[in-house]
Amino acid sequence: MDAADLDRRARTLSGCIPPLLVSRLLELGHSEEVEIQARHEEWFCAREWARLLGDEGRQAQALEVLAPYVATGWWLAAKTQAELLESWGRAEEAIELARPFASTGGLPLEFFAHLLARHGRKDEAVTRLSAGIEDWLLATALVEIAKGAGRDEDIATLLAARIPAQHQCDSPWCCRGLDPDTAIGLLATIRERQGRVDEAIALLRTRHITSVNNRDQLADLLARHGRIEELRAYAVTERRGHAAQRLADALEERRDVEGAIAVYRQSGDSQDFRCHDTVRLAELLARHGRGGEAVDVMRVLAEAHNGDDWILHTWSNLCLDQGRPEDGLAHLDALAAARGREEDWDLYWIRLPLIAARDGVDEAIARARSHPESATSYAAPHIAELLAGAGRTEEAVAVLEQHAPANSHDLAGHLIDLGRVKDAVVLLQQRDSEPVPPVWTGSLFNDPPF
């Protein structure tokens, strides 16, 4: 057993039985196969089998299953064993297992620090993380763990030292390690929990990059403290639309649905801003029993962005949810007519669930098979999904088998449903001939996994 090979298969979900299909095997009563594969280098089987054994009180046997994987020095295996040990009340063993890996920094150190903190050793966790504060991941963990440890001012000083007076990042990847905008956000978190909310707000207003991962920290802070008018004013100037979304959420939470609707009806500066606000408006209307209005709103958007696939997907799903497949098909048919009825599969397949809802699955399958690209590997999963949904799983398998191993996960799932477990396992375990890359250590700062 090799750590690099295990790591590659786990990250790419190739040459192995993936988690969803391990769950499918267990749900359908194939636990014996999971146990067998757990002892033959199938990591996701080993992980689930060990958890099941632990739940049954068979801890020694669970550790025996994981032992060969942990012996390779692979961090993910050690982390899993440490989590199990902790869940069994054996925290000290978990700490000692994770300790050697923490020296690599990154995710192993973050995990180790949280483990220490959960078991009365916050000071050690804070000390270790403080030494790695240049890594944004560890700096974030440090601020989380330090809550209630009486070390907020010490950490605030470390963060303030990493906020230059003049420098401004123009992207989240401008600076290596802990960039100034992230440091400002973490310092604001400390100030907020110290009750210094105005100071936290002032800090966040100095950030050049306001939103990360579709969240705006300043907007969230204003909403938490009920400063709705300040949030409303901020939403006017925040260009990505995340502050407006948070304002609408806050108003909806206060049962001011009309106020939330009004926020989304205001157009932003950018085309992308307006598109996302319109989708959120439609979702809001649908949540509050106003499905007809939601469909009308999305129809206007779909017509304004003719052929934009993500908008068409959203529009079609809304029509399905509202029991109005004919509206979705009418728009797609008009779009196809405008293009001379020549429609690539990536747009054509959007209509298939709508056809199935309006005219039945058989008609949807027939229409799918009439398309010029129906015999391709990328069309096969959509056709197979229709067949399987109609209880015609063997036909779904026949469609996918023509393109194996391109659709190996879909095909294996249907084979498992048919009880052809061995065939599914053989298919999933096919390996490609690419060289195995070095094992990822889990350090986000020095050792990117991609």
Side-chain angles (χ1 to χ4, degrees), residues 80-384:
T80 299
Q81 181 168 314
E83 288 171 336
L84 286 177
L85 288 166
E86 183 186 19
S87 71
W88 300 336
R90 297 163 65 175
E92 286 305 316
E93 292 177 65
I95 288 169
E96 291 313 306
L97 175 63
R99 186 181 296 280
F101 293 91
S103 62
T104 64
L107 289 171
L109 178 52
E110 182 203 29
F111 172 84
F112 182 63
H114 279 289
L115 181 59
L116 289 171
R118 284 195 296 270
H119 296 282
R121 296 163 73 168
K122 276 193 175 184
D123 282 341
E124 182 182 350
V126 168
T127 299
R128 281 179 166 269
L129 290 172
S130 296
I133 198 170
E134 287 296 341
D135 185 329
W136 67 267
L137 176 76
L138 301 182
T140 301
L142 175 61
V143 171
E144 292 170 356
I145 286 171
K147 184 177 181 180
R151 300 281 296 276
D152 275 351
E153 276 308 315
D154 294 338
I155 296 165
T157 300
L158 291 175
L159 291 168
R162 283 156 180 79
I163 305 173
Q166 302 299 324
H167 178 74
Q168 282 191 328
C169 289
D170 57 6
S171 80
W173 304 276
C174 175
C175 298
R176 287 179 59 82
L178 181 62
D179 63 278
D181 274 354
T182 300
I184 290 169
L186 293 173
L187 181 55
T189 297
I190 291 175
R191 294 307 183 215
E192 182 188 4
R193 74 182 179 215
Q194 290 176 323
R196 297 157 65 175
V197 175
D198 287 337
E199 191 174 339
I201 291 171
L203 276 166
L204 291 173
R205 290 192 185 279
T206 68
R207 295 175 77 182
H208 184 60
I209 303 164
T210 60
S211 299
V212 178
N213 295 329
N214 296 324
R215 300 295 304 185
D216 187 288
Q217 187 178 351
L218 175 56
D220 287 342
L221 187 153
L222 291 170
R224 273 195 302 275
H225 292 276
R227 299 169 77 150
I228 299 300
E229 292 311 309
E230 290 175 70
L231 177 54
R232 192 185 303 278
Y234 178 49
V236 172
T237 61
E238 196 273 303
R239 297 179 60 84
R240 291 177 176 83
H242 300 146
Q245 182 181 5
R246 189 64 189 90
L247 172 60
D249 289 345
L251 293 171
E252 185 181 8
E253 289 162 7
R254 293 171 171 229
R255 303 177 186 271
D256 183 4
V257 176
E258 292 302 325
I261 290 171
V263 170
Y264 285 139
R265 289 198 185 279
Q266 296 170 358
S267 295
D269 293 334
S270 71
Q271 193 79 350
D272 186 61
F273 183 106
R274 287 194 291 272
C275 287
H276 284 88
D277 265 8
T278 302
V279 170
R280 291 170 188 143
L281 172 59
E283 292 170 344
L284 174 64
L285 289 166
R287 277 198 302 274
H288 291 276
R290 297 162 67 170
E293 292 177 70
V295 169
D296 291 340
V297 163
M298 280 302 303
R299 180 187 290 111
V300 172
L301 181 64
E303 289 172 350
H305 296 268
N306 218 4
D308 193 322
D309 58 352
W310 82 267
I311 291 176
L312 288 176
H313 277 290
T314 305
W315 156 251
S316 300
N317 289 334
L318 178 62
C319 289
L320 278 175
D321 291 342
Q322 296 301 317
R324 297 172 61 171
E326 64 281 355
D327 288 344
L329 285 169
H331 178 77
L332 291 170
D333 288 342
L335 177 60
R339 297 182 175 187
R341 294 290 171 187
E342 294 183 5
E343 204 168 30
D344 291 339
W345 183 263
D346 61 349
L347 286 182
Y348 185 83
W349 79 266
I350 298 173
R351 72 181 58 245
L352 299 179
L354 295 166
I355 295 170
R358 187 188 68 178
D359 304 320
V361 174
D362 286 342
E363 178 64 19
I365 292 169
R367 294 275 294 275
R369 284 177 162 159
S370 72
H371 191 275
E373 296 171 68
S374 63
T376 60
S377 62
Y378 50 82
H382 302 121
I383 297 173

